[in-house]
Amino acid sequence: AQSVSQHNHHVILSEAASLELGCNYSYGGTVNLFWYVQYPGQHLQLLLKYFSGDPLVKGIKGFEAEFIKSKFSFNLRKPSVQWSDTAEYFCAVNPTSGTYKYIFGTGTRLKVLA
Amino acid sequence: EAQVTQNPRYLITVTGKKLTVTCSQNMNHEYMSWYRQDPGLGLRQIYYSMNVEVTDKGDVPEGYKVSRKEKRNFPLILESPSPNQTSLYFCASSLYRTATEAFFGQGTRLTVV
């Protein structure tokens, strides 16, 4: 079955701490990979995406993610979080074939303490 | 400004009273979809559309209908809402089927009592 797993449901960090959020997917074919962020009361916004090429991708606000094909993983990282990073983070995959679909993980709520 | 616009943002209704949530995008995108977001379940696709008059079921289509009569609009229809459809709904659009970003609307928080 097609699925995306985010193992960390809630994460609490202090400002300046480093962040890594895990994302693993289960899909038999090729996918495009995304991280979206949802600030409180707002819609989802794209943080970064991977389609092909360098597996280390950089996004907005200092976030980066690394695609490890052998592990079906696309973990999100940030060296030093800020209070304004408090939000919910969603990993998503978009299969390159088949029906039109973005498959989302269940999300990780990040709270950054000032 | 490129955007996906949903209306209403908040809606409280009673069981069985038909309602429509509108979605409009101004980016000339071919692909549009509806998701519901529930705690602990993430976003699940309800319906999608690949072009005018072309729609198909997503993962959780029961109790919903959609239509795509114009490229920019993709309304979500609940013919007879039930309490288990209380959720946060997002409309999204993208230019291509794959290798492209999905743009999301602001969301519609629906409560069915």
Tab-separated table of all heavy atoms in Angstrom, chain A residues 21-83:
chain	number	residue	atom	x	y	z
A	21	LEU	N	13.452	15.909	11.265
A	21	LEU	CA	12.158	15.226	11.232
A	21	LEU	C	12.232	14.099	10.213
A	21	LEU	O	12.620	14.308	9.073
A	21	LEU	CB	11.041	16.200	10.852
A	21	LEU	CG	10.857	17.412	11.751
A	21	LEU	CD1	9.678	18.246	11.267
A	21	LEU	CD2	10.648	16.985	13.193
A	22	GLY	N	11.815	12.927	10.654
A	22	GLY	CA	11.908	11.768	9.788
A	22	GLY	C	10.711	11.618	8.867
A	22	GLY	O	9.584	11.969	9.220
A	23	CYS	N	10.973	11.099	7.672
A	23	CYS	CA	9.912	10.800	6.709
A	23	CYS	C	10.337	9.584	5.914
A	23	CYS	O	11.414	9.592	5.304
A	23	CYS	CB	9.675	11.980	5.774
A	23	CYS	SG	8.538	11.611	4.410
A	24	ASN	N	9.512	8.559	5.934
A	24	ASN	CA	9.738	7.374	5.108
A	24	ASN	C	8.487	7.107	4.287
A	24	ASN	O	7.379	7.317	4.767
A	24	ASN	CB	10.048	6.156	5.974
A	24	ASN	CG	11.410	6.244	6.601
A	24	ASN	OD1	11.562	6.797	7.681
A	24	ASN	ND2	12.404	5.724	5.912
A	25	TYR	N	8.666	6.641	3.090
A	25	TYR	CA	7.513	6.369	2.247
A	25	TYR	C	7.560	4.941	1.739
A	25	TYR	O	8.611	4.305	1.680
A	25	TYR	CB	7.434	7.357	1.083
A	25	TYR	CG	8.545	7.219	0.071
A	25	TYR	CD1	8.396	6.420	-1.058
A	25	TYR	CD2	9.754	7.874	0.251
A	25	TYR	CE1	9.416	6.283	-1.981
A	25	TYR	CE2	10.780	7.750	-0.662
A	25	TYR	CZ	10.604	6.957	-1.772
A	25	TYR	OH	11.621	6.818	-2.678
A	26	SER	N	6.374	4.470	1.411
A	26	SER	CA	6.239	3.141	0.850
A	26	SER	C	5.522	3.279	-0.483
A	26	SER	O	4.340	3.633	-0.522
A	26	SER	CB	5.432	2.250	1.806
A	26	SER	OG	5.131	1.019	1.207
A	27	TYR	N	6.261	3.050	-1.553
A	27	TYR	CA	5.661	3.136	-2.885
A	27	TYR	C	6.557	2.388	-3.845
A	27	TYR	O	7.775	2.506	-3.777
A	27	TYR	CB	5.510	4.599	-3.324
A	27	TYR	CG	4.805	4.737	-4.646
A	27	TYR	CD1	3.418	4.573	-4.736
A	27	TYR	CD2	5.523	4.993	-5.814
A	27	TYR	CE1	2.773	4.671	-5.959
A	27	TYR	CE2	4.873	5.088	-7.030
A	27	TYR	CZ	3.501	4.931	-7.094
A	27	TYR	OH	2.861	5.023	-8.300
A	28	GLY	N	5.958	1.628	-4.742
A	28	GLY	CA	6.735	0.761	-5.617
A	28	GLY	C	7.386	1.429	-6.798
A	28	GLY	O	8.211	0.827	-7.470
A	29	GLY	N	7.046	2.671	-7.075
A	29	GLY	CA	7.589	3.341	-8.251
A	29	GLY	C	8.333	4.615	-7.876
A	29	GLY	O	8.674	4.846	-6.724
A	30	THR	N	8.543	5.433	-8.880
A	30	THR	CA	9.260	6.691	-8.691
A	30	THR	C	8.328	7.767	-8.156
A	30	THR	O	7.168	7.829	-8.556
A	30	THR	CB	9.853	7.157	-10.037
A	30	THR	OG1	10.613	6.096	-10.597
A	30	THR	CG2	10.763	8.366	-9.832
A	31	VAL	N	8.848	8.557	-7.247
A	31	VAL	CA	8.038	9.616	-6.654
A	31	VAL	C	8.784	10.939	-6.661
A	31	VAL	O	10.003	10.985	-6.718
A	31	VAL	CB	7.632	9.285	-5.197
A	31	VAL	CG1	6.755	8.043	-5.147
A	31	VAL	CG2	8.864	9.108	-4.321
A	32	ASN	N	8.017	12.001	-6.582
A	32	ASN	CA	8.538	13.319	-6.246
A	32	ASN	C	8.250	13.523	-4.766
A	32	ASN	O	7.263	13.017	-4.239
A	32	ASN	CB	7.855	14.398	-7.080
A	32	ASN	CG	8.055	14.178	-8.566
A	32	ASN	OD1	7.096	14.163	-9.343
A	32	ASN	ND2	9.290	14.002	-8.974
A	33	LEU	N	9.108	14.270	-4.103
A	33	LEU	CA	9.023	14.386	-2.647
A	33	LEU	C	8.912	15.841	-2.226
A	33	LEU	O	9.529	16.723	-2.836
A	33	LEU	CB	10.267	13.758	-2.007
A	33	LEU	CG	10.390	12.261	-2.279
A	33	LEU	CD1	11.826	11.840	-2.429
A	33	LEU	CD2	9.741	11.483	-1.132
A	34	PHE	N	8.138	16.075	-1.201
A	34	PHE	CA	7.864	17.436	-0.736
A	34	PHE	C	7.844	17.470	0.786
A	34	PHE	O	7.497	16.495	1.452
A	34	PHE	CB	6.486	17.917	-1.219
A	34	PHE	CG	6.288	17.853	-2.706
A	34	PHE	CD1	5.906	16.679	-3.319
A	34	PHE	CD2	6.475	18.987	-3.485
A	34	PHE	CE1	5.716	16.616	-4.694
A	34	PHE	CE2	6.285	18.929	-4.865
A	34	PHE	CZ	5.904	17.750	-5.461
A	35	TRP	N	8.181	18.640	1.300
A	35	TRP	CA	7.862	18.997	2.673
A	35	TRP	C	7.030	20.281	2.625
A	35	TRP	O	7.417	21.266	1.981
A	35	TRP	CB	9.105	19.236	3.523
A	35	TRP	CG	9.692	17.996	4.093
A	35	TRP	CD1	10.719	17.250	3.597
A	35	TRP	CD2	9.290	17.335	5.303
A	35	TRP	NE1	10.982	16.172	4.416
A	35	TRP	CE2	10.109	16.211	5.472
A	35	TRP	CE3	8.315	17.604	6.278
A	35	TRP	CZ2	9.999	15.335	6.560
A	35	TRP	CZ3	8.195	16.740	7.354
A	35	TRP	CH2	9.032	15.622	7.485
A	36	TYR	N	5.897	20.218	3.311
A	36	TYR	CA	5.039	21.387	3.455
A	36	TYR	C	4.992	21.789	4.925
A	36	TYR	O	5.106	20.940	5.821
A	36	TYR	CB	3.612	21.075	2.991
A	36	TYR	CG	3.419	21.090	1.491
A	36	TYR	CD1	3.662	19.947	0.735
A	36	TYR	CD2	2.989	22.238	0.843
A	36	TYR	CE1	3.462	19.956	-0.645
A	36	TYR	CE2	2.794	22.255	-0.534
A	36	TYR	CZ	3.045	21.115	-1.263
A	36	TYR	OH	2.857	21.130	-2.629
A	37	VAL	N	4.782	23.072	5.165
A	37	VAL	CA	4.636	23.571	6.524
A	37	VAL	C	3.280	24.256	6.664
A	37	VAL	O	2.790	24.892	5.726
A	37	VAL	CB	5.774	24.561	6.882
A	37	VAL	CG1	5.794	25.766	5.959
A	37	VAL	CG2	5.674	25.002	8.336
A	38	GLN	N	2.666	24.068	7.820
A	38	GLN	CA	1.378	24.690	8.107
A	38	GLN	C	1.511	25.466	9.404
A	38	GLN	O	1.570	24.865	10.490
A	38	GLN	CB	0.285	23.637	8.202
A	38	GLN	CG	-1.101	24.201	8.368
A	38	GLN	CD	-2.170	23.115	8.421
A	38	GLN	OE1	-1.926	22.003	8.894
A	38	GLN	NE2	-3.354	23.415	7.927
A	39	TYR	N	1.579	26.785	9.307
A	39	TYR	CA	1.607	27.613	10.504
A	39	TYR	C	0.206	27.665	11.090
A	39	TYR	O	-0.778	27.477	10.384
A	39	TYR	CB	2.143	29.002	10.178
A	39	TYR	CG	3.563	28.963	9.678
A	39	TYR	CD1	3.849	29.117	8.314
A	39	TYR	CD2	4.616	28.736	10.547
A	39	TYR	CE1	5.151	29.051	7.847
A	39	TYR	CE2	5.919	28.664	10.093
A	39	TYR	CZ	6.180	28.810	8.739
A	39	TYR	OH	7.465	28.730	8.283
A	40	PRO	N	0.088	27.902	12.385
A	40	PRO	CA	-1.217	27.875	13.040
A	40	PRO	C	-2.266	28.703	12.290
A	40	PRO	O	-2.049	29.887	12.023
A	40	PRO	CB	-0.917	28.443	14.426
A	40	PRO	CG	0.519	28.092	14.676
A	40	PRO	CD	1.185	28.188	13.337
A	41	GLY	N	-3.373	28.057	11.968
A	41	GLY	CA	-4.478	28.738	11.314
A	41	GLY	C	-4.278	29.065	9.853
A	41	GLY	O	-5.092	29.773	9.254
A	42	GLN	N	-3.214	28.548	9.268
A	42	GLN	CA	-2.925	28.882	7.868
A	42	GLN	C	-2.951	27.642	6.983
A	42	GLN	O	-3.088	26.518	7.441
A	42	GLN	CB	-1.567	29.575	7.761
A	42	GLN	CG	-1.514	30.922	8.454
A	42	GLN	CD	-0.265	31.693	8.101
A	42	GLN	OE1	0.319	31.501	7.044
A	42	GLN	NE2	0.126	32.602	8.987
A	43	HIS	N	-2.822	27.897	5.680
A	43	HIS	CA	-2.815	26.797	4.727
A	43	HIS	C	-1.414	26.218	4.604
A	43	HIS	O	-0.458	26.755	5.170
A	43	HIS	CB	-3.301	27.290	3.365
A	43	HIS	CG	-2.409	28.330	2.749
A	43	HIS	ND1	-2.277	29.600	3.256
A	43	HIS	CD2	-1.606	28.271	1.680
A	43	HIS	CE1	-1.459	30.288	2.506
A	43	HIS	NE2	-1.021	29.514	1.543
A	44	LEU	N	-1.314	25.126	3.896
A	44	LEU	CA	-0.026	24.497	3.687
A	44	LEU	C	0.801	25.316	2.694
A	44	LEU	O	0.305	25.763	1.666
A	44	LEU	CB	-0.193	23.083	3.136
A	44	LEU	CG	-0.477	22.001	4.158
A	44	LEU	CD1	-1.926	22.039	4.572
A	44	LEU	CD2	-0.133	20.622	3.592
A	45	GLN	N	2.077	25.438	3.029
A	45	GLN	CA	3.013	26.161	2.155
A	45	GLN	C	4.209	25.251	1.885
A	45	GLN	O	4.642	24.521	2.766
A	45	GLN	CB	3.496	27.440	2.830
A	45	GLN	CG	2.394	28.400	3.207
A	45	GLN	CD	2.899	29.509	4.102
A	45	GLN	OE1	3.947	30.105	3.837
A	45	GLN	NE2	2.165	29.801	5.161
A	46	LEU	N	4.734	25.341	0.684
A	46	LEU	CA	5.856	24.494	0.299
A	46	LEU	C	7.143	24.956	0.985
A	46	LEU	O	7.502	26.127	0.936
A	46	LEU	CB	6.036	24.538	-1.211
A	46	LEU	CG	7.142	23.650	-1.762
A	46	LEU	CD1	6.754	22.182	-1.625
A	46	LEU	CD2	7.430	23.980	-3.224
A	47	LEU	N	7.832	24.005	1.622
A	47	LEU	CA	9.147	24.272	2.199
A	47	LEU	C	10.246	23.930	1.202
A	47	LEU	O	11.180	24.697	1.000
A	47	LEU	CB	9.369	23.411	3.433
A	47	LEU	CG	9.106	23.982	4.814
A	47	LEU	CD1	9.483	22.945	5.854
A	47	LEU	CD2	9.827	25.280	5.048
A	48	LEU	N	10.147	22.739	0.635
A	48	LEU	CA	11.129	22.305	-0.346
A	48	LEU	C	10.589	21.092	-1.086
A	48	LEU	O	9.584	20.497	-0.688
A	48	LEU	CB	12.480	21.987	0.313
A	48	LEU	CG	12.504	21.137	1.565
A	48	LEU	CD1	12.324	19.676	1.270
A	48	LEU	CD2	13.802	21.344	2.331
A	49	LYS	N	11.280	20.773	-2.186
A	49	LYS	CA	10.833	19.679	-3.034
A	49	LYS	C	12.040	18.989	-3.655
A	49	LYS	O	13.113	19.599	-3.814
A	49	LYS	CB	9.916	20.206	-4.131
A	49	LYS	CG	10.593	21.219	-5.038
A	49	LYS	CD	9.603	21.964	-5.900
A	49	LYS	CE	10.337	23.020	-6.730
A	49	LYS	NZ	9.418	23.961	-7.386
A	50	TYR	N	11.852	17.722	-3.992
A	50	TYR	CA	12.872	16.968	-4.705
A	50	TYR	C	12.212	16.245	-5.868
A	50	TYR	O	11.268	15.479	-5.681
A	50	TYR	CB	13.559	15.950	-3.791
A	50	TYR	CG	14.515	15.071	-4.545
A	50	TYR	CD1	15.778	15.535	-4.896
A	50	TYR	CD2	14.135	13.796	-4.960
A	50	TYR	CE1	16.644	14.748	-5.626
A	50	TYR	CE2	14.999	13.003	-5.691
A	50	TYR	CZ	16.245	13.483	-6.025
A	50	TYR	OH	17.099	12.705	-6.766
A	51	PHE	N	12.765	16.486	-7.058
A	51	PHE	CA	12.292	15.782	-8.236
A	51	PHE	C	13.372	14.846	-8.773
A	51	PHE	O	13.106	13.699	-9.115
A	51	PHE	CB	11.885	16.768	-9.342
A	51	PHE	CG	10.723	17.657	-8.965
A	51	PHE	CD1	10.505	18.847	-9.633
A	51	PHE	CD2	9.845	17.304	-7.949
A	51	PHE	CE1	9.438	19.673	-9.289
A	51	PHE	CE2	8.780	18.126	-7.599
A	51	PHE	CZ	8.587	19.316	-8.284
A	52	SER	N	14.599	15.350	-8.866
A	52	SER	CA	15.706	14.550	-9.380
A	52	SER	C	17.006	15.310	-9.104
A	52	SER	O	16.981	16.447	-8.619
A	52	SER	CB	15.561	14.286	-10.879
A	52	SER	OG	15.617	15.501	-11.604
A	53	GLY	N	18.136	14.669	-9.385
A	53	GLY	CA	19.416	15.342	-9.237
A	53	GLY	C	19.996	15.213	-7.843
A	53	GLY	O	19.838	14.174	-7.190
A	54	ASP	N	20.647	16.262	-7.385
A	54	ASP	CA	21.308	16.262	-6.078
A	54	ASP	C	20.301	15.883	-4.997
A	54	ASP	O	19.282	16.559	-4.847
A	54	ASP	CB	21.885	17.647	-5.800
A	54	ASP	CG	22.760	17.691	-4.548
A	54	ASP	OD1	22.675	16.744	-3.726
A	54	ASP	OD2	23.508	18.663	-4.403
A	55	PRO	N	20.571	14.813	-4.258
A	55	PRO	CA	19.588	14.371	-3.263
A	55	PRO	C	19.500	15.280	-2.037
A	55	PRO	O	18.593	15.117	-1.223
A	55	PRO	CB	20.104	12.984	-2.864
A	55	PRO	CG	21.562	13.014	-3.163
A	55	PRO	CD	21.710	13.891	-4.345
A	56	LEU	N	20.402	16.213	-1.908
A	56	LEU	CA	20.336	17.168	-0.816
A	56	LEU	C	19.726	18.461	-1.368
A	56	LEU	O	20.318	19.116	-2.220
A	56	LEU	CB	21.730	17.437	-0.242
A	56	LEU	CG	21.786	18.372	0.961
A	56	LEU	CD1	21.006	17.785	2.137
A	56	LEU	CD2	23.229	18.636	1.372
A	57	VAL	N	18.546	18.767	-0.903
A	57	VAL	CA	17.853	19.943	-1.430
A	57	VAL	C	17.694	20.984	-0.344
A	57	VAL	O	17.481	20.661	0.828
A	57	VAL	CB	16.471	19.575	-2.012
A	57	VAL	CG1	16.633	18.716	-3.237
A	57	VAL	CG2	15.605	18.874	-1.000
A	58	LYS	N	17.795	22.209	-0.760
A	58	LYS	CA	17.639	23.321	0.181
A	58	LYS	C	16.332	24.041	-0.113
A	58	LYS	O	15.941	24.223	-1.269
A	58	LYS	CB	18.817	24.278	0.061
A	58	LYS	CG	20.137	23.634	0.492
A	58	LYS	CD	21.247	24.641	0.630
A	58	LYS	CE	22.569	23.951	0.971
A	58	LYS	NZ	22.481	23.158	2.222
A	59	GLY	N	15.642	24.422	0.976
A	59	GLY	CA	14.386	25.111	0.816
A	59	GLY	C	14.419	26.488	1.443
A	59	GLY	O	15.474	27.058	1.669
A	60	ILE	N	13.231	26.973	1.746
A	60	ILE	CA	13.141	28.295	2.337
A	60	ILE	C	13.451	28.244	3.824
A	60	ILE	O	13.405	27.171	4.444
A	60	ILE	CB	11.744	28.900	2.115
A	60	ILE	CG1	10.657	28.027	2.757
A	60	ILE	CG2	11.467	29.071	0.616
A	60	ILE	CD1	9.281	28.652	2.752
A	61	LYS	N	13.760	29.397	4.388
A	61	LYS	CA	13.933	29.576	5.836
A	61	LYS	C	15.007	28.672	6.433
A	61	LYS	O	14.933	28.308	7.601
A	61	LYS	CB	12.606	29.364	6.557
A	61	LYS	CG	11.505	30.258	6.017
A	61	LYS	CD	10.238	30.190	6.828
A	61	LYS	CE	9.189	31.093	6.192
A	61	LYS	NZ	8.006	31.272	7.004
A	62	GLY	N	16.011	28.294	5.648
A	62	GLY	CA	17.130	27.526	6.168
A	62	GLY	C	16.898	26.036	6.292
A	62	GLY	O	17.724	25.313	6.840
A	63	PHE	N	15.780	25.554	5.793
A	63	PHE	CA	15.496	24.119	5.839
A	63	PHE	C	16.175	23.390	4.692
A	63	PHE	O	16.364	23.947	3.617
A	63	PHE	CB	13.983	23.862	5.766
A	63	PHE	CG	13.256	24.189	7.028
A	63	PHE	CD1	12.723	25.451	7.232
A	63	PHE	CD2	13.104	23.230	8.020
A	63	PHE	CE1	12.054	25.763	8.407
A	63	PHE	CE2	12.428	23.525	9.195
A	63	PHE	CZ	11.902	24.792	9.386
A	64	GLU	N	16.526	22.146	4.940
A	64	GLU	CA	17.051	21.277	3.897
A	64	GLU	C	16.552	19.863	4.134
A	64	GLU	O	16.069	19.539	5.220
A	64	GLU	CB	18.584	21.298	3.870
A	64	GLU	CG	19.240	20.730	5.110
A	64	GLU	CD	20.751	20.726	5.007
A	64	GLU	OE1	21.334	21.640	4.381
A	64	GLU	OE2	21.369	19.803	5.574
A	65	ALA	N	16.622	19.056	3.098
A	65	ALA	CA	16.206	17.661	3.220
A	65	ALA	C	17.098	16.811	2.340
A	65	ALA	O	17.596	17.269	1.310
A	65	ALA	CB	14.743	17.495	2.819
A	66	GLU	N	17.256	15.566	2.756
A	66	GLU	CA	18.080	14.648	2.002
A	66	GLU	C	17.268	13.440	1.594
A	66	GLU	O	16.652	12.776	2.439
A	66	GLU	CB	19.287	14.199	2.817
A	66	GLU	CG	20.245	13.303	2.023
A	66	GLU	CD	21.502	12.939	2.781
A	66	GLU	OE1	21.540	13.156	4.010
A	66	GLU	OE2	22.434	12.428	2.146
A	67	PHE	N	17.285	13.142	0.314
A	67	PHE	CA	16.612	11.969	-0.219
A	67	PHE	C	17.595	10.815	-0.217
A	67	PHE	O	18.651	10.893	-0.842
A	67	PHE	CB	16.119	12.249	-1.640
A	67	PHE	CG	15.573	11.048	-2.361
A	67	PHE	CD1	14.634	10.213	-1.754
A	67	PHE	CD2	15.971	10.737	-3.657
A	67	PHE	CE1	14.119	9.121	-2.421
A	67	PHE	CE2	15.449	9.645	-4.333
A	67	PHE	CZ	14.532	8.832	-3.712
A	68	ILE	N	17.265	9.751	0.505
A	68	ILE	CA	18.084	8.541	0.487
A	68	ILE	C	17.230	7.444	-0.130
A	68	ILE	O	16.343	6.881	0.523
A	68	ILE	CB	18.573	8.150	1.897
A	68	ILE	CG1	19.352	9.309	2.525
A	68	ILE	CG2	19.442	6.897	1.816
A	68	ILE	CD1	19.875	9.034	3.926
A	69	LYS	N	17.486	7.169	-1.388
A	69	LYS	CA	16.636	6.260	-2.149
A	69	LYS	C	16.608	4.860	-1.547
A	69	LYS	O	15.560	4.224	-1.477
A	69	LYS	CB	17.126	6.190	-3.594
A	69	LYS	CG	16.177	5.491	-4.547
A	69	LYS	CD	16.662	5.614	-5.969
A	69	LYS	CE	15.697	4.939	-6.931
A	69	LYS	NZ	16.146	5.056	-8.338
A	70	SER	N	17.761	4.389	-1.072
A	70	SER	CA	17.847	3.025	-0.549
A	70	SER	C	17.041	2.857	0.722
A	70	SER	O	16.636	1.749	1.073
A	70	SER	CB	19.304	2.648	-0.289
A	70	SER	OG	19.872	3.532	0.663
A	71	LYS	N	16.798	3.952	1.404
A	71	LYS	CA	16.045	3.891	2.655
A	71	LYS	C	14.619	4.436	2.488
A	71	LYS	O	13.879	4.503	3.469
A	71	LYS	CB	16.766	4.703	3.739
A	71	LYS	CG	18.116	4.131	4.154
A	71	LYS	CD	18.711	4.927	5.305
A	71	LYS	CE	20.043	4.317	5.753
A	71	LYS	NZ	20.648	5.084	6.873
A	72	PHE	N	14.259	4.835	1.288
A	72	PHE	CA	12.949	5.430	1.033
A	72	PHE	C	12.693	6.560	2.032
A	72	PHE	O	11.601	6.674	2.593
A	72	PHE	CB	11.839	4.371	1.135
A	72	PHE	CG	11.976	3.265	0.127
A	72	PHE	CD1	12.699	2.115	0.433
A	72	PHE	CD2	11.392	3.372	-1.128
A	72	PHE	CE1	12.851	1.098	-0.503
A	72	PHE	CE2	11.535	2.354	-2.063
A	72	PHE	CZ	12.274	1.226	-1.757
A	73	SER	N	13.698	7.365	2.264
A	73	SER	CA	13.559	8.411	3.277
A	73	SER	C	13.807	9.792	2.686
A	73	SER	O	14.517	9.948	1.681
A	73	SER	CB	14.520	8.163	4.442
A	73	SER	OG	15.855	8.387	4.037
A	74	PHE	N	13.225	10.772	3.335
A	74	PHE	CA	13.353	12.173	2.908
A	74	PHE	C	13.256	13.017	4.178
A	74	PHE	O	12.270	13.694	4.430
A	74	PHE	CB	12.268	12.524	1.900
A	74	PHE	CG	12.455	13.861	1.217
A	74	PHE	CD1	13.620	14.165	0.542
A	74	PHE	CD2	11.434	14.808	1.225
A	74	PHE	CE1	13.793	15.384	-0.104
A	74	PHE	CE2	11.587	16.040	0.580
A	74	PHE	CZ	12.764	16.318	-0.082
A	75	ASN	N	14.287	12.996	4.989
A	75	ASN	CA	14.267	13.659	6.284
A	75	ASN	C	14.530	15.151	6.160
A	75	ASN	O	15.362	15.599	5.370
A	75	ASN	CB	15.307	13.029	7.209
A	75	ASN	CG	14.945	11.608	7.584
A	75	ASN	OD1	13.864	11.126	7.250
A	75	ASN	ND2	15.867	10.938	8.253
A	76	LEU	N	13.839	15.898	6.973
A	76	LEU	CA	13.941	17.362	6.985
A	76	LEU	C	14.883	17.792	8.093
A	76	LEU	O	14.827	17.251	9.210
A	76	LEU	CB	12.553	17.975	7.221
A	76	LEU	CG	12.463	19.496	7.244
A	76	LEU	CD1	12.670	20.062	5.843
A	76	LEU	CD2	11.113	19.923	7.800
A	77	ARG	N	15.732	18.784	7.809
A	77	ARG	CA	16.687	19.245	8.813
A	77	ARG	C	16.754	20.764	8.823
A	77	ARG	O	16.504	21.441	7.815
A	77	ARG	CB	18.081	18.681	8.518
A	77	ARG	CG	18.164	17.173	8.551
A	77	ARG	CD	19.605	16.721	8.593
A	77	ARG	NE	20.301	16.977	7.345
A	77	ARG	CZ	20.685	16.036	6.498
A	77	ARG	NH1	20.377	14.773	6.729
A	77	ARG	NH2	21.334	16.349	5.395
A	78	LYS	N	17.117	21.257	9.996
A	78	LYS	CA	17.434	22.682	10.126
A	78	LYS	C	18.451	22.787	11.256
A	78	LYS	O	18.222	22.254	12.345
A	78	LYS	CB	16.202	23.527	10.428
A	78	LYS	CG	16.502	25.021	10.430
A	78	LYS	CD	15.253	25.873	10.519
A	78	LYS	CE	15.627	27.346	10.415
A	78	LYS	NZ	14.458	28.246	10.461
A	79	PRO	N	19.575	23.454	11.020
A	79	PRO	CA	20.651	23.476	12.019
A	79	PRO	C	20.277	24.211	13.305
A	79	PRO	O	20.742	23.831	14.383
A	79	PRO	CB	21.793	24.209	11.305
A	79	PRO	CG	21.433	24.230	9.870
A	79	PRO	CD	19.961	24.125	9.769
A	80	SER	N	19.457	25.241	13.190
A	80	SER	CA	19.153	26.068	14.351
A	80	SER	C	17.735	26.615	14.215
A	80	SER	O	17.466	27.483	13.391
A	80	SER	CB	20.171	27.227	14.438
A	80	SER	OG	19.853	28.094	15.496
A	81	VAL	N	16.819	26.088	15.012
A	81	VAL	CA	15.419	26.490	14.880
A	81	VAL	C	15.155	27.800	15.608
A	81	VAL	O	15.860	28.182	16.544
A	81	VAL	CB	14.460	25.399	15.407
A	81	VAL	CG1	14.572	24.149	14.557
A	81	VAL	CG2	14.704	25.102	16.877
A	82	GLN	N	14.086	28.457	15.134
A	82	GLN	CA	13.653	29.696	15.759
A	82	GLN	C	12.229	29.524	16.259
A	82	GLN	O	11.502	28.631	15.807
A	82	GLN	CB	13.695	30.828	14.723
A	82	GLN	CG	15.062	31.072	14.136
A	82	GLN	CD	15.017	32.069	12.996
A	82	GLN	OE1	14.212	31.937	12.076
A	82	GLN	NE2	15.876	33.072	13.056
A	83	TRP	N	11.820	30.401	17.158
A	83	TRP	CA	10.474	30.356	17.698
A	83	TRP	C	9.435	30.381	16.568
A	83	TRP	O	8.411	29.712	16.616
A	83	TRP	CB	10.270	31.537	18.645
A	83	TRP	CG	8.901	31.619	19.203
A	83	TRP	CD1	8.385	30.899	20.247
A	83	TRP	CD2	7.845	32.467	18.739
A	83	TRP	NE1	7.068	31.239	20.466
A	83	TRP	CE2	6.719	32.204	19.551
A	83	TRP	CE3	7.741	33.418	17.720
A	83	TRP	CZ2	5.511	32.856	19.385
A	83	TRP	CZ3	6.526	34.077	17.548
A	83	TRP	CH2	5.436	33.791	18.378
